[in-house]
Amino acid sequence: MEIIREWIMTILSIIIFVTFVEFLLPNNNHRRYINVIIGLMIMLVILRPLTGLVKGGESLAEDILQTSNQMEVMTMQNRVQTLEVNNQETITYLYKENLKSQMKNRLEKQLGYKVLDIEVEIEENNMDEFGMIKGINIVLLDEEKAQEVESNKKIKDVNVMVNVNVSLSEKNNNNVKADSILLDSGGEIIKNDFSSFYQVTEDNINISVLKNK
Amino acid sequence: MEIYQIVAVGIVATVLAILVKNQKPELGIYISLVTGFIIFIFIVAKLQSVIEILNQMANKISIDDIYLSVILKIVGIAYIAEFGAQICKDAGEGVIASKIEFAGKVLIMVMAVPILVSLMDLIINMVP
């Protein structure tokens, strides 16, 4: 008898409560969704004791809390995952930018070249060796040097295709290939310097000079 | 009577907004925003007491707390989303307003999922 009394009380009070709360609802299309949810809830309240008779289940509050907690956890996991990916990308980007500016400074201040662009390829997948430099592609813009090399080797009419570096992607090299030539004499100095300083094998350092037009 | 205060605030703000609109239309938005907040704050204290009394009543007749809290949360989400969307619409940003409404819908849906899951569980258990 007590169970039936409680059941009826719950149904009645929820219906009264909902009618009361409907005053507060804004006059827009949210009303439809809210009505659907309230309908679901009243269905749940009405059906609840029937399953209680079939099998003594735990309380509804526990059920709902469990599901909403599960959803919270999943949301948090998604957020953490996104943050981790973002962090990783930012770290790699900053590291590359710092390396580039350091290399640029080194080339410009110590060796006296003008640098147009530097591309650095680093190890990103293997976590043990994360950050090791795999390849460097340097594009210099040194007018005097470029002219010197041009006049010495008479390559004005020759379209020199230079691509020593295998590890760098083809696309990167294509950007400068047509207008650039490999620097030999000065290149050796830079290569020696860079390979001893950054621990990269000389084969993986690719230096080109943008041809003067 | 608080309704006098609220209506007075509303009318004064409306007159101000109309006066200002000719010179500086952007000030009208600020005025409506601030007025909205003032009226909202006036009302929130009252609403809080009503909800507290309803909660006490619910405790007295010992129905599950979860029903009331879910309904109130959903109504609150709908109301706040509506409030924000209206302000954006007044400022002429219909796109942002529709995004706020969309967010409100999604959050209401999130609130509804546990209810839906328990209902489905119940039905699955009932049908042999």
Side-chain angles (χ1 to χ4, degrees), chain A residues 6 9-10 13-14 17-18 20-21 24-26 28-30 33-34 37-38 40-41 43-45 47-48 50-51 55 60-61 63-65 67-68 71, chain B residues 47 50 54 61-64 66-68 70-72 74-75 78-79 81-82 101 104-105 108 110 112-119 121-123 125-126:
Chain A
E6 208 173 280
M9 280 293 276
T10 314
S13 48
I14 282 178
F17 181 72
V18 163
F20 190 68
V21 160
L24 279 179
L25 288 184
N28 65 351
N29 46 8
H30 281 135
Y33 307 103
I34 294 170
I37 293 166
I38 288 171
L40 286 180
M41 191 174 256
M43 255 171 88
L44 194 59
V45 172
L47 288 178
R48 190 77 198 161
L50 297 179
T51 48
K55 60 161 205 136
L60 179 67
D63 251 15
I64 290 180
L65 274 182
T67 321
S68 57
M71 281 170 60
Chain B
L47 195 63
V50 170
L54 283 179
I61 56 176
S62 76
I63 64 167
D64 231 337
I66 200 94
Y67 302 118
L68 300 195
V70 166
I71 293 172
L72 281 179
I74 289 171
V75 171
Y79 196 81
E82 171 75 9
E101 275 177 358
K105 276 178 202 168
I108 289 173
V110 168
V113 165
I115 298 170
L116 196 75
V117 168
S118 1
L119 188 65
D121 261 359
L122 211 148
I123 290 168
N125 281 334
M126 263 172 61

Side-chain angles (χ1 to χ4, degrees), chain A:
Chain A
M1 206 59 193
E2 185 63 26
I3 298 170
I4 294 174
R5 185 184 160 275
E6 208 173 280
W7 184 40
I8 293 170
M9 280 293 276
T10 314
I11 294 172
L12 282 181
S13 48
I14 282 178
I15 290 173
I16 291 170
F17 181 72
V18 163
T19 330
F20 190 68
V21 160
E22 273 198 345
F23 284 137
L24 279 179
L25 288 184
N27 282 325
N28 65 351
N29 46 8
H30 281 135
R31 195 180 266 269
R32 279 185 299 156
Y33 307 103
I34 294 170
N35 282 339
V36 169
I37 293 166
I38 288 171
L40 286 180
M41 191 174 256
I42 290 173
M43 255 171 88
L44 194 59
V45 172
I46 292 170
L47 288 178
R48 190 77 198 161
L50 297 179
T51 48
L53 294 178
V54 178
K55 60 161 205 136
E58 69 251 23
S59 82
L60 179 67
E62 261 172 50
D63 251 15
I64 290 180
L65 274 182
Q66 202 180 349
T67 321
S68 57
N69 273 348
Q70 204 180 339
M71 281 170 60
E72 274 310 297
V73 168
M74 278 155 103
T75 318
M76 285 318 287
Q77 274 173 350
N78 284 345
R79 277 192 189 151
V80 166
Q81 217 171 352
T82 324
L83 276 181
E84 271 173 3
V85 170
N86 276 351
N87 258 351
Q88 192 73 26
E89 274 173 8
T90 318
I91 288 170
T92 318
Y93 175 76
L94 278 179
Y95 176 63
K96 272 187 180 173
E97 285 300 307
N98 279 341
L99 264 182
K100 274 184 204 170
S101 71
Q102 193 192 23
M103 283 174 185
K104 199 175 174 186
N105 269 339
R106 200 173 171 78
L107 277 170
E108 287 183 347
K109 300 256 165 67
Q110 291 188 6
L111 303 168
Y113 291 98
K114 274 185 188 167
V115 179
L116 183 74
D117 188 30
I118 297 179
E119 277 173 31
V120 184
E121 195 179 330
I122 62 167
E123 177 69 54
E124 289 177 36
N125 299 325
N126 187 355
M127 286 315 278
D128 291 337
E129 294 179 352
F130 185 84
M132 294 289 283
I133 299 169
K134 272 158 71 179
I136 307 170
N137 188 22
I138 303 168
V139 183
L140 296 176
L141 183 75
D142 194 329
E143 290 169 15
E144 284 176 22
K145 292 265 176 192
Q147 278 167 358
E148 208 175 90
V149 173
E150 274 170 13
S151 58
N152 282 347
K153 297 193 172 179
K154 293 184 180 169
I155 53 159
K156 273 181 185 168
D157 301 324
V158 185
N159 192 10
V160 185
M161 307 279 278
V162 182
N163 186 6
V164 183
N165 190 353
V166 189
S167 67
L168 276 173
S169 59
E170 277 291 318
K171 194 184 158 206
N172 287 344
N173 286 334
N174 279 344
N175 289 338
V176 288
K177 209 189 290 175
D179 291 335
S180 64
I181 53 167
L182 188 72
L183 195 66
D184 277 344
S185 53
E188 282 307 310
I189 303 170
I190 300 175
K191 277 187 182 179
N192 280 336
D193 186 58
F194 270 49
S195 68
S196 62
F197 192 75
Y198 292 109
Q199 310 285 320
V200 195
T201 52
E202 285 191 21
D203 290 344
N204 287 337
I205 302 175
N206 191 18
I207 303 169
S208 37
V209 176
L210 198 68
K211 200 165 74 180
N212 253 357
K213 283 183 177 173

Side-chain angles (χ1 to χ4, degrees), chain B residues 23 33 40 61 75-76 84 86 89 91-92 98 102 104 108 125-126:
Chain B
Q23 267 86 44
L33 225 160
F40 192 67
I61 56 176
V75 171
Q86 282 295 343
K89 263 183 202 156
S98 66
F102 171 70
I108 289 173
N125 281 334
M126 263 172 61

